[in-house]
Amino acid sequence: MFALPRIYSGTFMPILLTHAAQLLTLRAPNAGEGPRRGAQMRELGIVEDGAVLIANGKIAAVGATDDVARQLPPERAGLQEIDCRGKVVLPGFVDSHTHPAFTAPRLVDFEKRIAGASYEEVAEAGGGIRSSLRGVREASTADLAQHVLHALRQMSVQGTTTVEAKSGYGLSLEAEIKSLEAIREASRQWRGTLVATLLGAHVVPPEYRGNPDEYVRLLCEELIPQVAERELATYVDVFCERGAFRPEHTQLIFRAAAGHKLGIRAHVCQLTAANLVPLLPFHPASLDHMDFVRDDDLPLLAASNTVATLLPAANYFLGLSTFPPARRLIDSGVAVALATDYNPGTAPTPSMPFVLSAACTQMKMLPAEAITAATYNGARALQLQHRKGSLQVGKDADLAIFDVEDYRELAYWFGVNRCSRTIAMGRSL
Ligand code: NIG
Ligand code: FE
């Protein structure tokens, strides 16, 4: 039996969720600590008539309602009970790839693409990432933080409790640091968990056009050391792509990041195929997009703990007819995560449920695979699997409650928000 006085002694009132039609624990007893692959991605650890006890921001008990209730004393004063009859309860979504540090939508780009221009053509004509720089460079840290916070709130009403947030629209020493400060400021005003990433290598800024080597030197020798020193980011990301940074630049930036004990991730194979062999020895936490991943790289990825993070909202918004090859990756044993890619150029959506829908309808992922990709494997992509991504005793109490009876409905309904409550670190968001 739980010693309730001890549980109740925490800062926040304990919460007992009961009678969930389906509690998706994401426990996979045989899967270990690694990212979920292949058939493991279909194991949701479902408990019918499920309950979760939350105390001090952590999960204190999980199981069938009767079993959890039996562990509690009959006197439950001070315990907030939430009846989850007819609902699905699951770990809060981990949105492991977002770009929220921008100030304005890119509506001219949007109309140009509708008229037939491609993402790269729009960028070459003066739109694209570079056209977001001015707003960010001119914004105050407080203003930028408000934009980030607004996005975080929109994410959490749809069930997201952990967000990776990148800089990348400042592209100068000052504006990248300001973006990371804004991300940190926003995270202080939000109950979910935020992981900051330096994306100074998003594109070469106009000041360094024609001299990308010099910009890469600035990143490696000045920006990365300063960011590390001030603990402004956990990861360094690179847009490794035609029109952005070459693989040799990516390696230099990875080496600098590793030298400063920062984690590594990259945007790769979004528009063109890249050889992943030179990048994998750096053990990137994730490689993201992966639309054009080469067959030869699949066994190497499958043998690594690098997660392939797929971002189908970008394909949807760019009006593409092809989507990341989820089936080929999963069936090859590669660990797959899903994220929104929230950004003004290719994916202006905060919605993980929309991403689940796109993953199932366009990429032929099963709903169970999509849920694993959006929770456990998202946590793995941020190397937070010890705290996030499944409902297990001792983990952070991050949960989403959906007003549906069957987990498949999470990916089935779209254009409507069925999330009725989000709990982060044991408190309602
Ligand atoms: O992930 N590909 C690079 N970065 C973003 C797009 C950024 C933008 O267009 O503003 C992406 O799709
Ligand atoms: Fe991105």
Side-chain angles (χ1 to χ4, degrees), residues 4 6 26 57 133 141 144 222 237 307 353 377:
L4 274 182
R6 184 176 59 76
L26 273 289
L133 296 193
T141 311
L144 203 48
E222 296 184 50
D237 192 345
V307 175
N377 277 2

PDB file of all heavy atoms in Angstrom, residues 4 6 26 57 133 141 144 222 237 307 353 377:
ATOM      1  N   LEU A   4       0.230   7.305   1.745  1.00  0.00           N
ATOM      2  CA  LEU A   4      -0.296   8.528   1.143  1.00  0.00           C
ATOM      3  C   LEU A   4       0.264   9.811   1.750  1.00  0.00           C
ATOM      4  O   LEU A   4       0.554  10.741   1.008  1.00  0.00           O
ATOM      5  CB  LEU A   4      -1.825   8.531   1.194  1.00  0.00           C
ATOM      6  CG  LEU A   4      -2.476   7.812   0.012  1.00  0.00           C
ATOM      7  CD1 LEU A   4      -3.985   7.915   0.119  1.00  0.00           C
ATOM      8  CD2 LEU A   4      -2.017   8.337  -1.316  1.00  0.00           C
ATOM      9  N   ARG A   6       3.118  10.547   2.625  1.00  0.00           N
ATOM     10  CA  ARG A   6       4.375  10.872   1.958  1.00  0.00           C
ATOM     11  C   ARG A   6       4.105  11.358   0.533  1.00  0.00           C
ATOM     12  O   ARG A   6       4.654  12.349   0.079  1.00  0.00           O
ATOM     13  CB  ARG A   6       5.287   9.634   1.930  1.00  0.00           C
ATOM     14  CG  ARG A   6       6.660   9.922   1.343  1.00  0.00           C
ATOM     15  CD  ARG A   6       7.545   8.701   1.423  1.00  0.00           C
ATOM     16  NE  ARG A   6       6.996   7.540   0.721  1.00  0.00           N
ATOM     17  CZ  ARG A   6       7.011   7.394  -0.598  1.00  0.00           C
ATOM     18  NH1 ARG A   6       7.540   8.316  -1.359  1.00  0.00           N
ATOM     19  NH2 ARG A   6       6.483   6.329  -1.161  1.00  0.00           N
ATOM     20  N   LEU A  26       2.806   2.068 -23.299  1.00  0.00           N
ATOM     21  CA  LEU A  26       4.023   1.983 -24.115  1.00  0.00           C
ATOM     22  C   LEU A  26       5.096   1.123 -23.453  1.00  0.00           C
ATOM     23  O   LEU A  26       6.279   1.228 -23.791  1.00  0.00           O
ATOM     24  CB  LEU A  26       4.578   3.386 -24.447  1.00  0.00           C
ATOM     25  CG  LEU A  26       4.024   4.093 -25.693  1.00  0.00           C
ATOM     26  CD1 LEU A  26       4.506   3.438 -26.966  1.00  0.00           C
ATOM     27  CD2 LEU A  26       2.526   4.213 -25.709  1.00  0.00           C
ATOM     28  N   GLY A  57       4.818  15.025  -9.269  1.00  0.00           N
ATOM     29  CA  GLY A  57       5.228  15.188 -10.661  1.00  0.00           C
ATOM     30  C   GLY A  57       5.658  13.906 -11.352  1.00  0.00           C
ATOM     31  O   GLY A  57       6.024  13.915 -12.520  1.00  0.00           O
ATOM     32  N   LEU A 133      14.776  36.086 -41.444  1.00  0.00           N
ATOM     33  CA  LEU A 133      15.853  36.615 -40.593  1.00  0.00           C
ATOM     34  C   LEU A 133      15.541  37.982 -40.005  1.00  0.00           C
ATOM     35  O   LEU A 133      15.773  38.233 -38.824  1.00  0.00           O
ATOM     36  CB  LEU A 133      17.169  36.751 -41.380  1.00  0.00           C
ATOM     37  CG  LEU A 133      17.854  35.507 -41.923  1.00  0.00           C
ATOM     38  CD1 LEU A 133      19.263  35.850 -42.365  1.00  0.00           C
ATOM     39  CD2 LEU A 133      17.868  34.403 -40.892  1.00  0.00           C
ATOM     40  N   THR A 141      14.150  39.976 -27.196  1.00  0.00           N
ATOM     41  CA  THR A 141      14.115  38.605 -26.658  1.00  0.00           C
ATOM     42  C   THR A 141      12.718  38.309 -26.117  1.00  0.00           C
ATOM     43  O   THR A 141      12.178  37.219 -26.325  1.00  0.00           O
ATOM     44  CB  THR A 141      15.157  38.445 -25.529  1.00  0.00           C
ATOM     45  OG1 THR A 141      16.398  38.952 -25.994  1.00  0.00           O
ATOM     46  CG2 THR A 141      15.314  36.998 -25.113  1.00  0.00           C
ATOM     47  N   LEU A 144      10.210  37.614 -28.925  1.00  0.00           N
ATOM     48  CA  LEU A 144      10.470  36.301 -29.531  1.00  0.00           C
ATOM     49  C   LEU A 144      10.009  35.195 -28.581  1.00  0.00           C
ATOM     50  O   LEU A 144       9.408  34.192 -29.003  1.00  0.00           O
ATOM     51  CB  LEU A 144      11.976  36.199 -29.817  1.00  0.00           C
ATOM     52  CG  LEU A 144      12.453  35.229 -30.869  1.00  0.00           C
ATOM     53  CD1 LEU A 144      11.682  35.331 -32.169  1.00  0.00           C
ATOM     54  CD2 LEU A 144      13.952  35.483 -31.139  1.00  0.00           C
ATOM     55  N   GLU A 222      33.143  30.250 -32.636  1.00  0.00           N
ATOM     56  CA  GLU A 222      32.575  31.279 -31.748  1.00  0.00           C
ATOM     57  C   GLU A 222      31.194  30.904 -31.215  1.00  0.00           C
ATOM     58  O   GLU A 222      30.967  30.885 -30.012  1.00  0.00           O
ATOM     59  CB  GLU A 222      32.531  32.625 -32.470  1.00  0.00           C
ATOM     60  CG  GLU A 222      33.950  33.101 -32.801  1.00  0.00           C
ATOM     61  CD  GLU A 222      33.977  34.486 -33.423  1.00  0.00           C
ATOM     62  OE1 GLU A 222      33.352  35.396 -32.873  1.00  0.00           O
ATOM     63  OE2 GLU A 222      34.630  34.622 -34.469  1.00  0.00           O
ATOM     64  N   ASP A 237      22.234  21.234 -34.518  1.00  0.00           N
ATOM     65  CA  ASP A 237      21.596  20.671 -35.710  1.00  0.00           C
ATOM     66  C   ASP A 237      22.219  21.337 -36.942  1.00  0.00           C
ATOM     67  O   ASP A 237      22.716  22.463 -36.861  1.00  0.00           O
ATOM     68  CB  ASP A 237      20.087  20.992 -35.628  1.00  0.00           C
ATOM     69  CG  ASP A 237      19.226  20.238 -36.625  1.00  0.00           C
ATOM     70  OD1 ASP A 237      19.760  19.664 -37.592  1.00  0.00           O
ATOM     71  OD2 ASP A 237      17.988  20.243 -36.435  1.00  0.00           O
ATOM     72  N   VAL A 307      17.879   7.717 -34.398  1.00  0.00           N
ATOM     73  CA  VAL A 307      16.462   7.635 -34.752  1.00  0.00           C
ATOM     74  C   VAL A 307      16.232   8.406 -36.054  1.00  0.00           C
ATOM     75  O   VAL A 307      16.765   9.506 -36.226  1.00  0.00           O
ATOM     76  CB  VAL A 307      15.607   8.240 -33.608  1.00  0.00           C
ATOM     77  CG1 VAL A 307      14.135   8.299 -33.990  1.00  0.00           C
ATOM     78  CG2 VAL A 307      15.795   7.438 -32.316  1.00  0.00           C
ATOM     79  N   PRO A 353      -1.410  15.155 -33.450  1.00  0.00           N
ATOM     80  CA  PRO A 353      -2.451  14.294 -34.030  1.00  0.00           C
ATOM     81  C   PRO A 353      -2.544  14.439 -35.557  1.00  0.00           C
ATOM     82  O   PRO A 353      -2.785  13.454 -36.264  1.00  0.00           O
ATOM     83  CB  PRO A 353      -3.734  14.776 -33.336  1.00  0.00           C
ATOM     84  CG  PRO A 353      -3.251  15.262 -31.996  1.00  0.00           C
ATOM     85  CD  PRO A 353      -1.924  15.919 -32.284  1.00  0.00           C
ATOM     86  N   ASN A 377       9.659   6.735 -29.167  1.00  0.00           N
ATOM     87  CA  ASN A 377      10.815   6.985 -30.048  1.00  0.00           C
ATOM     88  C   ASN A 377      11.154   8.470 -30.141  1.00  0.00           C
ATOM     89  O   ASN A 377      12.318   8.824 -30.368  1.00  0.00           O
ATOM     90  CB  ASN A 377      10.592   6.372 -31.437  1.00  0.00           C
ATOM     91  CG  ASN A 377      10.939   4.883 -31.446  1.00  0.00           C
ATOM     92  OD1 ASN A 377      11.312   4.310 -30.412  1.00  0.00           O
ATOM     93  ND2 ASN A 377      10.814   4.256 -32.611  1.00  0.00           N
TER      94      ASN A 377
END
